[in-house]
Structures are given as structure tokens and as C-alpha cells.
Amino acid sequence: MSPICYLSRVAHFSAAHRLHNPSLSAETNRQVFGKCNHPGGHGHNYIIEVVVRGPVNSETGMLISIDDLKQWIKSAVLDIMDHRNIDQDIAYFKARPSTAENIAVFSWIRLSQVMPPGLLHQVIVSETIKNKASFSGEGLTDKDIEACIV
Amino acid sequence: MSPICYLSRVAHFSAAHRLHNPSLSAETNRQVFGKCNHPGGHGHNYIIEVVVRGPVNSETGMLISIDDLKQWIKSAVLDIMDHRNIDQDIAYFKARPSTAENIAVFSWIRLSQVMPPGLLHQVIVSETIKNKASFSGEGLTDKDIEACIV
Amino acid sequence: MSPICYLSRVAHFSAAHRLHNPSLSAETNRQVFGKCNHPGGHGHNYIIEVVVRGPVNSETGMLISIDDLKQWIKSAVLDIMDHRNIDQDIAYFKARPSTAENIAVFSWIRLSQVMPPGLLHQVIVSETIKNKASFSGEGLTDKDIEACIV
Amino acid sequence: MSPICYLSRVAHFSAAHRLHNPSLSAETNRQVFGKCNHPGGHGHNYIIEVVVRGPVNSETGMLISIDDLKQWIKSAVLDIMDHRNIDQDIAYFKARPSTAENIAVFSWIRLSQVMPPGLLHQVIVSETIKNKASFSGEGLTDKDIEACIV
Amino acid sequence: MSPICYLSRVAHFSAAHRLHNPSLSAETNRQVFGKCNHPGGHGHNYIIEVVVRGPVNSETGMLISIDDLKQWIKSAVLDIMDHRNIDQDIAYFKARPSTAENIAVFSWIRLSQVMPPGLLHQVIVSETIKNKASFSGEGLTDKDIEACIV
Amino acid sequence: MSPICYLSRVAHFSAAHRLHNPSLSAETNRQVFGKCNHPGGHGHNYIIEVVVRGPVNSETGMLISIDDLKQWIKSAVLDIMDHRNIDQDIAYFKARPSTAENIAVFSWIRLSQVMPPGLLHQVIVSETIKNKASFSGEGLTDKDIEACIV
């Protein structure tokens, strides 16, 4: 038996986005999304915190190598989000508004595809210093997972 | 079924307060509350983080509108706390010391009165960058709720 | 005589942009601006700090009213930058790359047009927590000023 | 000859205050100071940054001992401001509104009285994360200095 | 019955350390720990957040006295970690790599030895602004506890 | 003529150090440096901010390429400081205490050797969130410059 710890790693990415659902009318989009529906889009310095959970390895004193965690975040999230336009560049967000909630769910699915099973605990996405969304895998459907192919 | 997310919003308010229980002696108040019992009071830039939990709406990609959440925090907390003297201006704190714990409980009750049932998950109140208290509704009594009328 | 102070106010805006100079070739744009030249653009949570300098009014104890300063920043900068696409929505940036340097110069010109003469001291623009540019009016030309009409 | 450096030290204090000038009418006070004139007062977690300037001692590698600087800030500022009501507890602020500008000037005078001559360079006082005032000794009068006796 | 709150207190300590397991070869140490295995060591400004959980005392409005919590953190953690070399100065880390995970477990054990039973909820240790580990007592063995004698 | 701007870039490095002057007695070292003289050393997450000053290029809108600035900071400072023991690994600090002041002077010299002349404006080194030192080249001697060979 080993102590069970949580380990978290923070990364940043800067991206453009616009909240817009093409299946709704222009008027409804303006009402639902307000200033975030501005046609030219806007952008954020997103902060993503990825939390993993598991036993501490008695030889290394580490839950996992922080270098592995950095690499997973880079390949699963940063490489397709950083310095990009989320809505235009990622198929998943063509049909779904790129809210912080949906970015957290998307990042969870992407990360769980590259990490050892059972390791990922929580994904927290901050849009600004005042707003953040987090997701821990609850209520995920096959439809969400299937849509998540870059 | 939809992914279940947590969404949090941060707000600030600046207020004066003094830790003091009028039913205790002056000497006991000094012993229990130390420098926080100084007669003229002191003050803080409080930070409140309100966390809600629920399914993501598939059409909007949002758990709730962040504008609604901002408005609830404004009407339930900021409008009666910001640029005020907590002890003198709010009846609830005439009989209870205005500790971070009690401010978190008070804010929880006030917020749950204006928000849809089941949405509120956690209220976190920071007094300084080193101290914070959080409350998630556990152990709340009718007496606390009844006292919370502004 | 009165003490001379500096007063500064911080504001935030979220915007999309792309570093691109239409008078240069696509290849040169990629070489000069790297990932910031990505066609769909990206975005930031910009932080602007506006510093004013002057004597403290002996009656009010204030250099100027902070509410006036907030209003000037709102009308001169936030109203045309926040939740916008800087390059597409502001004429000044159609002919100039929207670097932090140029945004600082632009904000300086706009602010100096609405503020009492001699008050504005410095404009600091942060693109990320690691990069910022500041401008204090040095070397400004009539051409820059004339171009700054929204 | 030695390299000339700047060294700065940050400290925090929590205090109550109210912006109010007793020589003005109640109505004028409300107009000038707005919500900051609320009768019961409000409060802040103030941050003070004290900057000193001078040659680096070649034996110690230090401009001055940081412990001395901490002690000067404690005795000149924190001991009379922290967990206090600035207006009620400090004579200097009975006749002057306790704005960030005036607190910076007051702290400058107090610090210069306990520090070696020529060392103090700048005092920066933040009221909130968005507002700060700084003072470097310019325009100081004997009247200000004489008023600054605790 | 009383509301159940969480209260947390943050403290800082600056320490040197080196990730190294003497029972592994030099080559394996370099592979496992990378730049953190540099012979002369390196160091961090560690941030420790200690979270306690319990009912709010109706008389004081406090879960516990924040002064007691500060004192426990000082005696159990800061007094043996701050401005020290973790590996050389603390016996527990002679046989275990001083990872953030192990520092969190060590701090949990030390704190639980000086605090009233059932109060300690979580220990969070940040090595940098990007990496943190947390521990809540899960999976703790007698062997870990016995090793934790300073 | 072009607008003259300041551009700054922030970088982090984690290092071990000990304040100690071998030409002074053990007793004097303890008196001068206090807890920072602990034999096993301690460490910090240092933050370095490098400020450059110059005209904005009208074609690129940039003072200089931020990628160049990042590269200069990496080669001149991070590559020899990050995850190192400052005193043991850098000859310059064998004869000088590794104070924030001396690290700022050292970084200034190193940076000015790799950057175009006249560009470097200021180097700011933070040891903790409360202490920082800055240097702008004033009072620099040939002896300091000659000692700065890695």
C-alpha cells in the first residue's frame, strides 16, 4: 500500500473563439451569448489545470513523471489549441459552442485518450481570472467521445 | 444525458468589520479575537468564489448563463456587503461574529434563496491571500436560515 | 505646493488578433511573426494599466477621481477593444500589426484625447503574464495621431 | 565605485477607512467620494511596496539588510495601520481624507524619519488589485511633515 | 448542530533540495529525475496550504482559531523546512526523494501529530506556480508514520 | 521618428543558494546573513524580468522580436542558473554573496554581452513575492564585468 496523492500541472494557451451555435438564429445567438457572439470573435489566455490521482511510487516518490504529464497536455491540448482559432480550427467546436465547459469536456476526452486508464482526475479550464469550468468525467456519452476527433 | 460540470465565478468586495461577540466580556473578546477585536474595526478586500454544478446544456454549451450567476452574486452578496461595515449594516452579524466562516455561511443562504434549487455547490470566501473559508451547505439549520433576513 | 503622486488603474479586455502586415509577403509574415501569424488568429486577456501624474488636491486628497479615470479607460479603450477582433474592428490596425507595442501607443493616443492635458504619464499593456509593453508618449508623430480615428 | 541598485520589500496591512472631509458638507462628501463615503466605512487589504536605492556593499552584496527594511516598515507603517481604523486611530487622517495618495505620502514621511537619509526612493500603496498610488517625495511641504506625528 | 466549514491557511518556505534515490544507480537517477537530479541541488519557494474541516463554534463563529493553525504549521513544517536543505537536514528524506508528493505526505503526518484528531482535511504543496501535489491521508501506512521523526 | 517603447519579458528559474562570504568569519556571516547563511543552503523560484527600450519598427510593429529576447534570457541567464546551485556552479558567486542585488548585476552583465548595444534597460530579480532587486547599469565597473565569465 502507498499513499494516494493528487498531482496537478498548469499550462497556458492563447486562442481566439466566438460563442455561436449555427443551428440557432442570429437573434437567438445574440440573446444567449451577448458580447461573446461578436462576429469577429474575441480571445483569451486560457489556463488549463490537469489533476491526476494515484499511489506514490515508493522508489521515485512520484505519482507519475511530471515530464510525462507535460507531454500529454502538450500533445492532447496545446498543440491543437494554442495560438489557434478554436471554432475554425477544431472540428469538435464546429457543432458546439466553445464555452469553457465544452473546452473542459473536450480536453478531458483528449487527455484520457493518451493517458494510462484511471489516472486522470479533473480538468479545470479558466477563461479569465474570474471564470472557470471543471470536469471530472461525469455524464460523458459515447457521442461526445466520438465527436472528439481532431 | 449530458456532461456534469462545475462552473465558478469570482467577485470582490471591500468591507469593514470587527470580530466581537457582544454576549462575551471585553476581556474574553480580546482573548478570543486578538487584534481582530480592535474597537475601531479594520477591513479587507474580500474575494468570493461561487461554484455551481449541473449538466451542460447541449444547445448553449453552458451550465448556466454566466451573466445570471454574476447577477445573483451581485444581488445576494455584493449589494449588501461591498463598501459597507458588515457588523453595523447587516442584521445577521449583530448577533454573530463576522468571521470568514460566518460570511461564507451567510452568502450560501442568501445565494440559495435567489438561485434555482440544486445548483449551488460551494461558496469560498477569502479574507486575505492567506486565509479562506468554504461552505457547501452541510449542517445548515433552520435557525441560521431564518436569521438571514437583510 | 502639493505632493506630486502617481495613480494607476488596471482594466482588462479580451480580444482576438493576428500579427500580420498586408504589405509583406505571406512567407515574410510567417518568418517575422511565427505562430502569431496563424490565419484564423488567436487571442488574449489583455491587461492595461494607465498611470497618471499630478499634484494631490488638498481638499479631496485625490490626484483625480478614480471614477473619471475608469470612465476614460472605458470610453477610450475598452469600448472599442473588449470582446472584439482588434485587426478587423479597428481601422488603426488595418495598416499596422496589432503588437503589444502598437496597442500601447494606440491606447496612449486615445486616452490623451479624452483626458486633461499633462495628466497621462504611462500606458502599460500586458498580452500575457510574461510579456508587456509600455509607452510614455516619447517619439510620437502626427502621422500616428492622425491614424488613430476609430 | 559600486553598482547602484534598487531593492524593494512588500508588506500587507488590513484596515478600515472612510473617505470623508469634515470641512465639506455631507452632500459634497457624497458627490466627491461616492460609495467610499458610506458612514460605517469599509476596508481593504492594503499592499505597501517600499523601494530603496543605493550602492551595493561589496562585502555583503546587499544594498541594506532586508531585515532592517522589514523593521522600518513595521515600526513606521504596520504598527499604526494594521488592523486599525485609519481615520479614527491616526491624527494625520482626521484632517485629511485617507485616500491611497495620502496614505502613500504619510508612509513616505514616516519611513523617511526612521531610515538613513537618501535611501528611500519610492512608496507604492495598493488599495485593491486595480488601484494604486505612488510617491517619491516630490512637492513635499513642511506642513505635511509636521502633521505627521502619530 | 452547526454548519460544517472548511478553513485553509497558506504559508511559504524557501528550501533547497535534489531529487535523488541513493539506492538507484547514478544513471537511473539521471533518467528518472532529469535536471532535478543536478548534484549541487536547486531550490524552490514552496507554498503549503493546510485545510481543516469541522463545525463552526456558535460563540466565536470560528472553526478553530487561525492563530492555532498558524502555530501548528510553523512548528510542524516551517521550523524544520524553511531556509533549510530538505534532503540533508531532515532524516525522513534521506531515504525518500523529496518530491512534492512526499513533502505533502510528510507535512500531513507532522501536522496530524500536533493537531486535534479529525481536524486535518488536506495538505497542498506547490513547488512552482505550475506544479502542486495534495494529500488527504489516504493509503497512509505505519511505516510512513514511523519514519517521520525529525 | 518612431514611438519609443519599453518591452519586458518574464522568465523563471529554480535554484539553490546560500548567503556566505568566505572572507568573513563564520560568526560574522551568521550575523550579517542570518537564516540565509544556513550551511546546507536553501533555494528559491526566482523571477527575472528583462526590460528593453527602443523605437518601434514601423513594418513589424515590434521593438524587437520577443523570440530573440526569450533566447537571450535563456542563453545568458537560465542555462547557467536554472536547476543549479548558484554558489557552487557559477564562478562569479564564489567570491560574492549570491544576493538578489548581485544576481541582478550579474544578469545585466551577461545579457548586455549577448544583446545589441543600447537595448537593455533594466533587470529585475525577485527572490520571493515580497523581495526584489533591480539594476539598470549604473555604477558598473570593469572589475564586475571581468569577473562575469562563466
Side-chain angles (χ1 to χ4, degrees), chain A residues 89-105:
Chain A
D89 295 332
I90 304 177
Y92 187 85
F93 292 104
K94 292 205 190 296
R96 292 151 204 253
S98 53
T99 57
E101 292 93 320
N102 274 345
I103 295 175
V105 172

PDB file of all heavy atoms in Angstrom, chain A residues 89-105:
ATOM      1  N   ASP A  89     -10.640  26.002 -36.258  1.00  0.00           N
ATOM      2  CA  ASP A  89      -9.558  25.028 -36.436  1.00  0.00           C
ATOM      3  C   ASP A  89      -9.834  23.648 -35.859  1.00  0.00           C
ATOM      4  O   ASP A  89      -9.067  22.722 -36.100  1.00  0.00           O
ATOM      5  CB  ASP A  89      -8.255  25.579 -35.808  1.00  0.00           C
ATOM      6  CG  ASP A  89      -7.749  26.820 -36.537  1.00  0.00           C
ATOM      7  OD1 ASP A  89      -8.022  26.948 -37.739  1.00  0.00           O
ATOM      8  OD2 ASP A  89      -7.094  27.661 -35.899  1.00  0.00           O
ATOM      9  N   ILE A  90     -10.889  23.496 -35.048  1.00  0.00           N
ATOM     10  CA  ILE A  90     -11.147  22.204 -34.399  1.00  0.00           C
ATOM     11  C   ILE A  90     -12.562  21.741 -34.738  1.00  0.00           C
ATOM     12  O   ILE A  90     -13.543  22.414 -34.407  1.00  0.00           O
ATOM     13  CB  ILE A  90     -10.970  22.317 -32.863  1.00  0.00           C
ATOM     14  CG1 ILE A  90      -9.563  22.849 -32.530  1.00  0.00           C
ATOM     15  CG2 ILE A  90     -11.208  20.971 -32.190  1.00  0.00           C
ATOM     16  CD1 ILE A  90      -9.309  23.064 -31.056  1.00  0.00           C
ATOM     17  N   ALA A  91     -12.657  20.580 -35.373  1.00  0.00           N
ATOM     18  CA  ALA A  91     -13.954  20.085 -35.865  1.00  0.00           C
ATOM     19  C   ALA A  91     -14.985  19.970 -34.737  1.00  0.00           C
ATOM     20  O   ALA A  91     -16.156  20.280 -34.921  1.00  0.00           O
ATOM     21  CB  ALA A  91     -13.752  18.722 -36.544  1.00  0.00           C
ATOM     22  N   TYR A  92     -14.544  19.527 -33.554  1.00  0.00           N
ATOM     23  CA  TYR A  92     -15.452  19.337 -32.410  1.00  0.00           C
ATOM     24  C   TYR A  92     -16.268  20.587 -32.121  1.00  0.00           C
ATOM     25  O   TYR A  92     -17.418  20.507 -31.682  1.00  0.00           O
ATOM     26  CB  TYR A  92     -14.609  18.970 -31.186  1.00  0.00           C
ATOM     27  CG  TYR A  92     -15.367  18.584 -29.941  1.00  0.00           C
ATOM     28  CD1 TYR A  92     -15.808  17.267 -29.750  1.00  0.00           C
ATOM     29  CD2 TYR A  92     -15.631  19.502 -28.930  1.00  0.00           C
ATOM     30  CE1 TYR A  92     -16.477  16.881 -28.602  1.00  0.00           C
ATOM     31  CE2 TYR A  92     -16.293  19.134 -27.772  1.00  0.00           C
ATOM     32  CZ  TYR A  92     -16.719  17.824 -27.610  1.00  0.00           C
ATOM     33  OH  TYR A  92     -17.376  17.455 -26.465  1.00  0.00           O
ATOM     34  N   PHE A  93     -15.668  21.753 -32.346  1.00  0.00           N
ATOM     35  CA  PHE A  93     -16.341  23.004 -31.981  1.00  0.00           C
ATOM     36  C   PHE A  93     -17.099  23.638 -33.147  1.00  0.00           C
ATOM     37  O   PHE A  93     -17.639  24.722 -33.007  1.00  0.00           O
ATOM     38  CB  PHE A  93     -15.325  23.985 -31.383  1.00  0.00           C
ATOM     39  CG  PHE A  93     -14.815  23.516 -30.052  1.00  0.00           C
ATOM     40  CD1 PHE A  93     -13.548  22.968 -29.914  1.00  0.00           C
ATOM     41  CD2 PHE A  93     -15.634  23.572 -28.930  1.00  0.00           C
ATOM     42  CE1 PHE A  93     -13.094  22.505 -28.695  1.00  0.00           C
ATOM     43  CE2 PHE A  93     -15.185  23.106 -27.706  1.00  0.00           C
ATOM     44  CZ  PHE A  93     -13.909  22.577 -27.584  1.00  0.00           C
ATOM     45  N   LYS A  94     -17.137  22.946 -34.277  1.00  0.00           N
ATOM     46  CA  LYS A  94     -17.970  23.480 -35.359  1.00  0.00           C
ATOM     47  C   LYS A  94     -19.440  23.304 -35.008  1.00  0.00           C
ATOM     48  O   LYS A  94     -20.285  24.126 -35.361  1.00  0.00           O
ATOM     49  CB  LYS A  94     -17.622  22.781 -36.680  1.00  0.00           C
ATOM     50  CG  LYS A  94     -16.212  23.140 -37.167  1.00  0.00           C
ATOM     51  CD  LYS A  94     -16.075  22.985 -38.674  1.00  0.00           C
ATOM     52  CE  LYS A  94     -14.608  23.102 -39.107  1.00  0.00           C
ATOM     53  NZ  LYS A  94     -14.015  24.416 -38.840  1.00  0.00           N
ATOM     54  N   ALA A  95     -19.764  22.229 -34.283  1.00  0.00           N
ATOM     55  CA  ALA A  95     -21.154  21.959 -33.942  1.00  0.00           C
ATOM     56  C   ALA A  95     -21.504  22.315 -32.499  1.00  0.00           C
ATOM     57  O   ALA A  95     -22.638  22.138 -32.076  1.00  0.00           O
ATOM     58  CB  ALA A  95     -21.453  20.478 -34.195  1.00  0.00           C
ATOM     59  N   ARG A  96     -20.505  22.759 -31.717  1.00  0.00           N
ATOM     60  CA  ARG A  96     -20.748  23.051 -30.308  1.00  0.00           C
ATOM     61  C   ARG A  96     -20.126  24.388 -29.944  1.00  0.00           C
ATOM     62  O   ARG A  96     -18.984  24.640 -30.297  1.00  0.00           O
ATOM     63  CB  ARG A  96     -20.051  22.009 -29.411  1.00  0.00           C
ATOM     64  CG  ARG A  96     -20.618  20.654 -29.499  1.00  0.00           C
ATOM     65  CD  ARG A  96     -19.546  19.626 -29.207  1.00  0.00           C
ATOM     66  NE  ARG A  96     -19.922  18.372 -29.839  1.00  0.00           N
ATOM     67  CZ  ARG A  96     -20.356  17.313 -29.171  1.00  0.00           C
ATOM     68  NH1 ARG A  96     -20.388  17.323 -27.867  1.00  0.00           N
ATOM     69  NH2 ARG A  96     -20.724  16.233 -29.809  1.00  0.00           N
ATOM     70  N   PRO A  97     -20.830  25.210 -29.196  1.00  0.00           N
ATOM     71  CA  PRO A  97     -20.225  26.475 -28.765  1.00  0.00           C
ATOM     72  C   PRO A  97     -18.966  26.204 -27.930  1.00  0.00           C
ATOM     73  O   PRO A  97     -18.943  25.290 -27.094  1.00  0.00           O
ATOM     74  CB  PRO A  97     -21.328  27.116 -27.913  1.00  0.00           C
ATOM     75  CG  PRO A  97     -22.604  26.485 -28.392  1.00  0.00           C
ATOM     76  CD  PRO A  97     -22.230  25.083 -28.784  1.00  0.00           C
ATOM     77  N   SER A  98     -17.933  27.014 -28.163  1.00  0.00           N
ATOM     78  CA  SER A  98     -16.641  26.799 -27.487  1.00  0.00           C
ATOM     79  C   SER A  98     -16.628  27.475 -26.115  1.00  0.00           C
ATOM     80  O   SER A  98     -15.745  28.265 -25.803  1.00  0.00           O
ATOM     81  CB  SER A  98     -15.518  27.333 -28.367  1.00  0.00           C
ATOM     82  OG  SER A  98     -15.773  28.681 -28.736  1.00  0.00           O
ATOM     83  N   THR A  99     -17.602  27.103 -25.280  1.00  0.00           N
ATOM     84  CA  THR A  99     -17.650  27.595 -23.900  1.00  0.00           C
ATOM     85  C   THR A  99     -16.544  26.945 -23.072  1.00  0.00           C
ATOM     86  O   THR A  99     -15.982  25.912 -23.465  1.00  0.00           O
ATOM     87  CB  THR A  99     -18.995  27.217 -23.256  1.00  0.00           C
ATOM     88  OG1 THR A  99     -19.130  25.796 -23.340  1.00  0.00           O
ATOM     89  CG2 THR A  99     -20.159  27.884 -23.974  1.00  0.00           C
ATOM     90  N   ALA A 100     -16.252  27.534 -21.915  1.00  0.00           N
ATOM     91  CA  ALA A 100     -15.264  26.932 -21.007  1.00  0.00           C
ATOM     92  C   ALA A 100     -15.691  25.522 -20.624  1.00  0.00           C
ATOM     93  O   ALA A 100     -14.846  24.614 -20.512  1.00  0.00           O
ATOM     94  CB  ALA A 100     -15.099  27.802 -19.758  1.00  0.00           C
ATOM     95  N   GLU A 101     -16.999  25.318 -20.447  1.00  0.00           N
ATOM     96  CA  GLU A 101     -17.491  23.976 -20.100  1.00  0.00           C
ATOM     97  C   GLU A 101     -17.129  22.977 -21.209  1.00  0.00           C
ATOM     98  O   GLU A 101     -16.591  21.905 -20.937  1.00  0.00           O
ATOM     99  CB  GLU A 101     -19.024  23.983 -19.919  1.00  0.00           C
ATOM    100  CG  GLU A 101     -19.536  24.757 -18.729  1.00  0.00           C
ATOM    101  CD  GLU A 101     -19.904  26.213 -19.067  1.00  0.00           C
ATOM    102  OE1 GLU A 101     -19.155  26.842 -19.861  1.00  0.00           O
ATOM    103  OE2 GLU A 101     -20.914  26.712 -18.556  1.00  0.00           O
ATOM    104  N   ASN A 102     -17.435  23.332 -22.447  1.00  0.00           N
ATOM    105  CA  ASN A 102     -17.154  22.407 -23.547  1.00  0.00           C
ATOM    106  C   ASN A 102     -15.658  22.218 -23.785  1.00  0.00           C
ATOM    107  O   ASN A 102     -15.228  21.131 -24.175  1.00  0.00           O
ATOM    108  CB  ASN A 102     -17.854  22.884 -24.832  1.00  0.00           C
ATOM    109  CG  ASN A 102     -19.294  22.379 -24.907  1.00  0.00           C
ATOM    110  OD1 ASN A 102     -19.684  21.464 -24.171  1.00  0.00           O
ATOM    111  ND2 ASN A 102     -20.093  22.975 -25.778  1.00  0.00           N
ATOM    112  N   ILE A 103     -14.864  23.252 -23.546  1.00  0.00           N
ATOM    113  CA  ILE A 103     -13.407  23.100 -23.686  1.00  0.00           C
ATOM    114  C   ILE A 103     -12.875  22.149 -22.605  1.00  0.00           C
ATOM    115  O   ILE A 103     -11.978  21.341 -22.854  1.00  0.00           O
ATOM    116  CB  ILE A 103     -12.702  24.473 -23.632  1.00  0.00           C
ATOM    117  CG1 ILE A 103     -13.110  25.321 -24.854  1.00  0.00           C
ATOM    118  CG2 ILE A 103     -11.177  24.318 -23.598  1.00  0.00           C
ATOM    119  CD1 ILE A 103     -12.575  26.746 -24.839  1.00  0.00           C
ATOM    120  N   ALA A 104     -13.456  22.211 -21.406  1.00  0.00           N
ATOM    121  CA  ALA A 104     -13.038  21.286 -20.333  1.00  0.00           C
ATOM    122  C   ALA A 104     -13.393  19.849 -20.688  1.00  0.00           C
ATOM    123  O   ALA A 104     -12.578  18.931 -20.509  1.00  0.00           O
ATOM    124  CB  ALA A 104     -13.675  21.692 -19.002  1.00  0.00           C
ATOM    125  N   VAL A 105     -14.609  19.641 -21.205  1.00  0.00           N
ATOM    126  CA  VAL A 105     -15.028  18.284 -21.593  1.00  0.00           C
ATOM    127  C   VAL A 105     -14.141  17.767 -22.736  1.00  0.00           C
ATOM    128  O   VAL A 105     -13.644  16.636 -22.693  1.00  0.00           O
ATOM    129  CB  VAL A 105     -16.521  18.270 -22.019  1.00  0.00           C
ATOM    130  CG1 VAL A 105     -16.909  16.917 -22.614  1.00  0.00           C
ATOM    131  CG2 VAL A 105     -17.419  18.607 -20.819  1.00  0.00           C
TER     132      VAL A 105
END
